[in-house]
Amino acid sequence: RDNRVFGTLMLTRSFGDKEMKKYGVISTPDCFCHKIRDEDLYIVIASDGVWDAVSEEEIMQMGGEQYSSDDFSKKIVKLAIDKGTRDNISCIILRRN
């Protein structure tokens, strides 16, 4: 349900969640490396409340290069709220200079 473990726990909350450990939820992260390329304009770091409501495609279509990092993150947060997110909302934009 809603891409959550047992319909309750979003994967980012598995770190240190004692209640779910008895069901086999572990906090070993899945890590990967991505070499930043010339065409990578920004990195979006956001919480569940953003990703539950807003797709990567929607963010890419917003034209982030037109905004400061602060304005772009606020626009993403507003979109998540407007789309009815029901989880915590945080968003950080790292822009390439």
Side-chain angles (χ1 to χ4, degrees), residues 9-78:
L9 182 66
M10 193 63 167
L11 292 180
T12 54
R13 277 206 40 234
S14 66
F15 292 97
D17 196 299
K18 291 191 303 187
E19 289 299 313
M20 290 294 166
K21 289 199 185 311
K22 62 186 170 191
Y23 298 110
V25 175
I26 59 172
S27 60
T28 305
D30 182 17
C31 298
F32 65 93
C33 294
H34 172 80
K35 186 173 182 167
I36 297 176
R37 304 166 300 202
D38 289 340
E39 60 266 22
D40 295 328
L41 301 175
Y42 47 85
I43 298 171
V44 178
I45 302 169
S47 64
D48 305 347
V50 171
W51 299 122
D52 285 347
V54 182
S55 70
E56 292 176 26
E57 292 78 21
E58 288 174 300
I59 290 174
M60 290 173 63
Q61 291 172 358
M62 293 170 77
E65 67 275 0
Q66 300 173 19
Y67 305 100
S68 70
S69 295
D70 189 49
D71 288 342
F72 193 29
S73 64
K74 287 177 182 176
K75 185 172 176 150
I76 291 170
V77 166
K78 182 178 180 334

